[in-house]
mmCIF file of all heavy atoms in Angstrom:
data_model
loop_
_atom_site.group_PDB
_atom_site.id
_atom_site.type_symbol
_atom_site.label_atom_id
_atom_site.label_comp_id
_atom_site.label_asym_id
_atom_site.label_seq_id
_atom_site.Cartn_x
_atom_site.Cartn_y
_atom_site.Cartn_z
ATOM 1 N N VAL A 1 -36.559 43.112 62.999
ATOM 2 C CA VAL A 1 -35.119 43.028 62.641
ATOM 3 C C VAL A 1 -34.997 42.652 61.239
ATOM 4 O O VAL A 1 -35.572 41.834 60.615
ATOM 5 C CB VAL A 1 -34.451 41.915 63.475
ATOM 6 C CG1 VAL A 1 -33.051 41.617 63.013
ATOM 7 C CG2 VAL A 1 -34.475 42.296 64.967
ATOM 8 N N ARG A 2 -34.150 43.565 60.523
ATOM 9 C CA ARG A 2 -33.968 43.299 59.085
ATOM 10 C C ARG A 2 -32.690 42.662 58.681
ATOM 11 O O ARG A 2 -32.580 42.021 57.696
ATOM 12 C CB ARG A 2 -34.047 44.645 58.440
ATOM 13 C CG ARG A 2 -35.291 45.473 58.572
ATOM 14 C CD ARG A 2 -36.525 44.599 58.121
ATOM 15 N NE ARG A 2 -37.807 45.310 58.307
ATOM 16 C CZ ARG A 2 -38.879 44.752 58.008
ATOM 17 N NH1 ARG A 2 -39.057 43.521 57.578
ATOM 18 N NH2 ARG A 2 -40.035 45.471 58.307
ATOM 19 N N GLU A 3 -31.644 42.893 59.523
ATOM 20 C CA GLU A 3 -30.301 42.301 59.157
ATOM 21 C C GLU A 3 -29.426 42.150 60.304
ATOM 22 O O GLU A 3 -29.461 42.915 61.274
ATOM 23 C CB GLU A 3 -29.732 43.146 58.048
ATOM 24 C CG GLU A 3 -28.327 42.834 57.512
ATOM 25 C CD GLU A 3 -27.777 43.767 56.651
ATOM 26 O OE1 GLU A 3 -27.269 44.868 57.063
ATOM 27 O OE2 GLU A 3 -27.733 43.520 55.290
ATOM 28 N N ILE A 4 -28.533 41.068 60.393
ATOM 29 C CA ILE A 4 -27.634 40.912 61.428
ATOM 30 C C ILE A 4 -26.226 40.651 60.753
ATOM 31 O O ILE A 4 -26.120 39.795 59.894
ATOM 32 C CB ILE A 4 -27.986 39.664 62.282
ATOM 33 C CG1 ILE A 4 -29.248 39.895 63.124
ATOM 34 C CG2 ILE A 4 -26.880 39.361 63.141
ATOM 35 C CD1 ILE A 4 -29.659 38.798 63.800
ATOM 36 N N ARG A 5 -25.219 41.463 61.121
ATOM 37 C CA ARG A 5 -23.892 41.300 60.612
ATOM 38 C C ARG A 5 -23.078 41.135 61.922
ATOM 39 O O ARG A 5 -23.462 41.282 63.033
ATOM 40 C CB ARG A 5 -23.481 42.491 59.823
ATOM 41 C CG ARG A 5 -24.262 42.566 58.525
ATOM 42 C CD ARG A 5 -23.730 43.746 57.644
ATOM 43 N NE ARG A 5 -24.436 43.876 56.403
ATOM 44 C CZ ARG A 5 -24.151 43.128 55.272
ATOM 45 N NH1 ARG A 5 -23.084 42.232 55.325
ATOM 46 N NH2 ARG A 5 -24.797 43.256 54.194
ATOM 47 N N PHE A 6 -21.774 40.836 61.780
ATOM 48 C CA PHE A 6 -20.745 40.706 62.728
ATOM 49 C C PHE A 6 -19.448 41.506 62.376
ATOM 50 O O PHE A 6 -18.875 41.289 61.371
ATOM 51 C CB PHE A 6 -20.448 39.277 62.986
ATOM 52 C CG PHE A 6 -19.592 39.096 64.177
ATOM 53 C CD1 PHE A 6 -20.101 39.114 65.506
ATOM 54 C CD2 PHE A 6 -18.213 39.014 64.048
ATOM 55 C CE1 PHE A 6 -19.240 38.972 66.587
ATOM 56 C CE2 PHE A 6 -17.243 38.813 65.162
ATOM 57 C CZ PHE A 6 -17.865 38.799 66.314
ATOM 58 N N ASP A 7 -19.162 42.378 63.307
ATOM 59 C CA ASP A 7 -17.860 43.118 63.202
ATOM 60 C C ASP A 7 -17.272 43.363 64.608
ATOM 61 O O ASP A 7 -17.326 44.441 65.112
ATOM 62 C CB ASP A 7 -18.229 44.482 62.541
ATOM 63 C CG ASP A 7 -16.974 45.261 62.280
ATOM 64 O OD1 ASP A 7 -15.822 44.645 62.326
ATOM 65 O OD2 ASP A 7 -17.145 46.446 62.061
ATOM 66 N N GLY A 8 -16.818 42.288 65.184
ATOM 67 C CA GLY A 8 -16.360 42.292 66.519
ATOM 68 C C GLY A 8 -17.579 42.184 67.532
ATOM 69 O O GLY A 8 -17.229 41.450 68.528
ATOM 70 N N GLU A 9 -18.641 42.690 67.186
ATOM 71 C CA GLU A 9 -19.824 42.402 67.986
ATOM 72 C C GLU A 9 -20.969 42.202 66.944
ATOM 73 O O GLU A 9 -20.769 42.568 65.779
ATOM 74 C CB GLU A 9 -20.278 43.663 68.858
ATOM 75 C CG GLU A 9 -19.226 43.752 70.002
ATOM 76 C CD GLU A 9 -19.739 44.706 71.053
ATOM 77 O OE1 GLU A 9 -20.757 45.471 70.854
ATOM 78 O OE2 GLU A 9 -19.347 44.708 72.267
ATOM 79 N N PHE A 10 -22.107 41.561 67.338
ATOM 80 C CA PHE A 10 -23.211 41.410 66.550
ATOM 81 C C PHE A 10 -23.956 42.783 66.311
ATOM 82 O O PHE A 10 -24.185 43.479 67.320
ATOM 83 C CB PHE A 10 -24.212 40.356 67.123
ATOM 84 C CG PHE A 10 -23.568 38.989 67.080
ATOM 85 C CD1 PHE A 10 -23.151 38.474 68.306
ATOM 86 C CD2 PHE A 10 -23.623 38.189 65.893
ATOM 87 C CE1 PHE A 10 -22.682 37.114 68.283
ATOM 88 C CE2 PHE A 10 -23.046 37.034 66.000
ATOM 89 C CZ PHE A 10 -22.586 36.417 67.150
ATOM 90 N N ARG A 11 -24.193 43.074 65.080
ATOM 91 C CA ARG A 11 -24.792 44.358 64.765
ATOM 92 C C ARG A 11 -26.192 44.106 64.227
ATOM 93 O O ARG A 11 -26.251 43.419 63.052
ATOM 94 C CB ARG A 11 -23.890 45.146 63.697
ATOM 95 C CG ARG A 11 -24.553 46.478 63.326
ATOM 96 C CD ARG A 11 -23.390 47.423 62.877
ATOM 97 N NE ARG A 11 -22.497 47.744 64.042
ATOM 98 C CZ ARG A 11 -21.279 48.227 63.848
ATOM 99 N NH1 ARG A 11 -20.830 48.584 62.597
ATOM 100 N NH2 ARG A 11 -20.537 48.527 64.969
ATOM 101 N N VAL A 12 -27.215 44.586 64.881
ATOM 102 C CA VAL A 12 -28.509 44.214 64.469
ATOM 103 C C VAL A 12 -29.236 45.424 63.972
ATOM 104 O O VAL A 12 -29.402 46.458 64.668
ATOM 105 C CB VAL A 12 -29.327 43.706 65.800
ATOM 106 C CG1 VAL A 12 -30.692 43.408 65.463
ATOM 107 C CG2 VAL A 12 -28.682 42.466 66.417
ATOM 108 N N ARG A 13 -29.624 45.416 62.761
ATOM 109 C CA ARG A 13 -30.280 46.572 62.068
ATOM 110 C C ARG A 13 -31.801 46.354 62.062
ATOM 111 O O ARG A 13 -32.383 45.222 61.676
ATOM 112 C CB ARG A 13 -29.766 46.765 60.688
ATOM 113 C CG ARG A 13 -30.395 47.979 60.030
ATOM 114 C CD ARG A 13 -29.820 48.190 58.586
ATOM 115 N NE ARG A 13 -30.210 47.036 57.687
ATOM 116 C CZ ARG A 13 -31.319 47.029 57.005
ATOM 117 N NH1 ARG A 13 -32.278 47.981 57.331
ATOM 118 N NH2 ARG A 13 -31.479 45.955 56.273
ATOM 119 N N THR A 14 -32.529 47.311 62.647
ATOM 120 C CA THR A 14 -34.070 47.260 62.627
ATOM 121 C C THR A 14 -34.558 48.331 61.763
ATOM 122 O O THR A 14 -33.722 49.059 61.114
ATOM 123 C CB THR A 14 -34.617 47.293 64.064
ATOM 124 O OG1 THR A 14 -34.515 48.806 64.440
ATOM 125 C CG2 THR A 14 -33.874 46.463 64.990
ATOM 126 N N ASP A 15 -35.870 48.552 61.706
ATOM 127 C CA ASP A 15 -36.364 49.570 60.929
ATOM 128 C C ASP A 15 -35.995 50.878 61.570
ATOM 129 O O ASP A 15 -36.055 52.059 60.849
ATOM 130 C CB ASP A 15 -37.993 49.391 60.846
ATOM 131 C CG ASP A 15 -38.342 48.398 59.881
ATOM 132 O OD1 ASP A 15 -37.664 47.950 58.972
ATOM 133 O OD2 ASP A 15 -39.470 47.773 60.151
ATOM 134 N N ASN A 16 -35.733 50.862 62.880
ATOM 135 C CA ASN A 16 -35.583 52.200 63.565
ATOM 136 C C ASN A 16 -34.148 52.405 64.086
ATOM 137 O O ASN A 16 -33.896 53.538 64.662
ATOM 138 C CB ASN A 16 -36.647 52.284 64.821
ATOM 139 C CG ASN A 16 -38.000 52.032 64.262
ATOM 140 O OD1 ASN A 16 -38.432 52.562 63.268
ATOM 141 N ND2 ASN A 16 -38.733 51.109 64.949
ATOM 142 N N ALA A 17 -33.313 51.351 64.176
ATOM 143 C CA ALA A 17 -32.083 51.529 64.828
ATOM 144 C C ALA A 17 -30.975 50.482 64.468
ATOM 145 O O ALA A 17 -31.451 49.598 63.821
ATOM 146 C CB ALA A 17 -32.267 51.552 66.410
ATOM 147 N N VAL A 18 -29.825 50.808 64.792
ATOM 148 C CA VAL A 18 -28.742 49.797 64.675
ATOM 149 C C VAL A 18 -28.101 49.500 66.124
ATOM 150 O O VAL A 18 -27.650 50.535 66.728
ATOM 151 C CB VAL A 18 -27.596 50.232 63.719
ATOM 152 C CG1 VAL A 18 -26.469 49.211 63.697
ATOM 153 C CG2 VAL A 18 -28.201 50.473 62.380
ATOM 154 N N LEU A 19 -28.180 48.338 66.527
ATOM 155 C CA LEU A 19 -27.817 47.972 67.905
ATOM 156 C C LEU A 19 -26.750 46.941 67.880
ATOM 157 O O LEU A 19 -26.681 46.091 67.086
ATOM 158 C CB LEU A 19 -29.126 47.470 68.686
ATOM 159 C CG LEU A 19 -30.371 48.380 68.702
ATOM 160 C CD1 LEU A 19 -31.476 47.463 69.252
ATOM 161 C CD2 LEU A 19 -29.972 49.449 69.626
ATOM 162 N N ASP A 20 -25.830 47.112 68.721
ATOM 163 C CA ASP A 20 -24.667 46.079 68.986
ATOM 164 C C ASP A 20 -24.834 45.397 70.272
ATOM 165 O O ASP A 20 -25.255 45.982 71.204
ATOM 166 C CB ASP A 20 -23.376 46.922 68.969
ATOM 167 C CG ASP A 20 -23.019 47.527 67.622
ATOM 168 O OD1 ASP A 20 -23.586 47.026 66.592
ATOM 169 O OD2 ASP A 20 -22.211 48.378 67.526
ATOM 170 N N ALA A 21 -24.362 44.114 70.162
ATOM 171 C CA ALA A 21 -24.393 43.250 71.403
ATOM 172 C C ALA A 21 -23.255 42.221 71.326
ATOM 173 O O ALA A 21 -23.088 41.779 70.142
ATOM 174 C CB ALA A 21 -25.809 42.661 71.585
ATOM 175 N N ARG A 22 -22.911 41.724 72.441
ATOM 176 C CA ARG A 22 -21.882 40.673 72.386
ATOM 177 C C ARG A 22 -22.545 39.296 72.102
ATOM 178 O O ARG A 22 -21.728 38.358 71.642
ATOM 179 C CB ARG A 22 -21.238 40.642 73.836
ATOM 180 C CG ARG A 22 -20.500 41.884 74.168
ATOM 181 C CD ARG A 22 -19.669 41.783 75.397
ATOM 182 N NE ARG A 22 -20.474 41.629 76.599
ATOM 183 C CZ ARG A 22 -21.027 42.656 77.282
ATOM 184 N NH1 ARG A 22 -20.933 43.911 76.786
ATOM 185 N NH2 ARG A 22 -21.743 42.348 78.448
ATOM 186 N N ASN A 23 -23.782 39.034 72.391
ATOM 187 C CA ASN A 23 -24.373 37.771 72.212
ATOM 188 C C ASN A 23 -25.812 38.065 71.520
ATOM 189 O O ASN A 23 -26.444 39.095 71.795
ATOM 190 C CB ASN A 23 -24.543 37.105 73.519
ATOM 191 C CG ASN A 23 -23.153 36.764 74.174
ATOM 192 O OD1 ASN A 23 -22.499 36.027 73.794
ATOM 193 N ND2 ASN A 23 -22.977 37.631 75.252
ATOM 194 N N LEU A 24 -26.205 37.054 70.881
ATOM 195 C CA LEU A 24 -27.671 37.046 70.313
ATOM 196 C C LEU A 24 -28.304 35.810 70.726
ATOM 197 O O LEU A 24 -27.741 34.778 70.913
ATOM 198 C CB LEU A 24 -27.569 37.044 68.788
ATOM 199 C CG LEU A 24 -27.063 38.290 68.005
ATOM 200 C CD1 LEU A 24 -27.253 38.036 66.516
ATOM 201 C CD2 LEU A 24 -27.976 39.411 68.360
ATOM 202 N N VAL A 25 -29.679 35.946 70.950
ATOM 203 C CA VAL A 25 -30.525 34.768 71.176
ATOM 204 C C VAL A 25 -31.667 34.883 70.178
ATOM 205 O O VAL A 25 -32.449 35.822 70.294
ATOM 206 C CB VAL A 25 -30.965 34.641 72.678
ATOM 207 C CG1 VAL A 25 -31.809 33.390 72.824
ATOM 208 C CG2 VAL A 25 -29.868 34.789 73.663
ATOM 209 N N ILE A 26 -31.812 33.906 69.360
ATOM 210 C CA ILE A 26 -32.809 34.047 68.287
ATOM 211 C C ILE A 26 -33.880 33.060 68.604
ATOM 212 O O ILE A 26 -33.608 31.888 68.797
ATOM 213 C CB ILE A 26 -32.183 33.745 66.827
ATOM 214 C CG1 ILE A 26 -31.129 34.796 66.600
ATOM 215 C CG2 ILE A 26 -33.355 33.760 65.811
ATOM 216 C CD1 ILE A 26 -30.474 34.687 65.294
ATOM 217 N N ASP A 27 -35.111 33.569 68.671
ATOM 218 C CA ASP A 27 -36.295 32.717 68.805
ATOM 219 C C ASP A 27 -36.839 32.531 67.526
ATOM 220 O O ASP A 27 -37.441 33.373 66.920
ATOM 221 C CB ASP A 27 -37.274 33.434 69.734
ATOM 222 C CG ASP A 27 -38.453 32.513 70.029
ATOM 223 O OD1 ASP A 27 -38.725 31.483 69.472
ATOM 224 O OD2 ASP A 27 -39.309 32.983 70.864
ATOM 225 N N ILE A 28 -36.595 31.270 66.835
ATOM 226 C CA ILE A 28 -36.920 31.031 65.457
ATOM 227 C C ILE A 28 -38.437 30.661 65.475
ATOM 228 O O ILE A 28 -38.803 29.695 65.923
ATOM 229 C CB ILE A 28 -36.031 29.925 64.927
ATOM 230 C CG1 ILE A 28 -34.647 30.500 64.690
ATOM 231 C CG2 ILE A 28 -36.615 29.541 63.503
ATOM 232 C CD1 ILE A 28 -33.713 29.565 64.026
ATOM 233 N N GLY A 29 -39.172 31.516 64.845
ATOM 234 C CA GLY A 29 -40.638 31.384 64.758
ATOM 235 C C GLY A 29 -41.108 30.388 63.674
ATOM 236 O O GLY A 29 -40.346 29.948 62.818
ATOM 237 N N LYS A 30 -42.418 30.010 63.755
ATOM 238 C CA LYS A 30 -42.871 29.051 62.875
ATOM 239 C C LYS A 30 -43.429 29.794 61.659
ATOM 240 O O LYS A 30 -43.891 30.826 61.595
ATOM 241 C CB LYS A 30 -44.085 28.325 63.413
ATOM 242 C CG LYS A 30 -43.668 27.608 64.701
ATOM 243 C CD LYS A 30 -44.915 26.956 65.380
ATOM 244 C CE LYS A 30 -44.557 26.144 66.743
ATOM 245 N NZ LYS A 30 -45.779 25.553 67.294
ATOM 246 N N GLN A 31 -43.466 28.959 60.560
ATOM 247 C CA GLN A 31 -44.115 29.475 59.292
ATOM 248 C C GLN A 31 -44.917 28.246 58.769
ATOM 249 O O GLN A 31 -44.491 27.182 58.863
ATOM 250 C CB GLN A 31 -43.135 30.096 58.337
ATOM 251 C CG GLN A 31 -42.964 29.456 57.011
ATOM 252 C CD GLN A 31 -41.942 30.141 56.138
ATOM 253 O OE1 GLN A 31 -41.418 31.191 56.418
ATOM 254 N NE2 GLN A 31 -41.664 29.463 55.013
ATOM 255 N N ALA A 32 -46.065 28.578 58.196
ATOM 256 C CA ALA A 32 -46.911 27.523 57.715
ATOM 257 C C ALA A 32 -46.293 26.673 56.785
ATOM 258 O O ALA A 32 -45.502 27.001 55.849
ATOM 259 C CB ALA A 32 -48.173 28.140 57.065
#
C-alpha cells in the first residue's frame, strides 16, 4: 500500500491497483 485518501470512501492505492472500501483496518507493524 502506497497511499490512502478519502473521497466518500477510503481509496487505497497499491503498486498494482486502486481499491475503495467503506472501512479500513490498519495493522501497524513494528520498526526497529
Side-chain angles (χ1 to χ4, degrees):
V1 172
R2 300 302 179 187
E3 182 183 74
I4 293 175
R5 295 185 177 274
F6 184 80
D7 184 17
E9 291 194 342
F10 291 102
R11 182 153 294 166
V12 179
R13 182 176 65 82
T14 75
D15 290 333
N16 305 312
V18 177
L19 303 166
D20 291 339
R22 298 188 292 279
N23 303 284
L24 290 182
V25 185
I26 297 175
D27 185 351
I28 295 184
K30 300 176 181 179
Q31 122 179 349

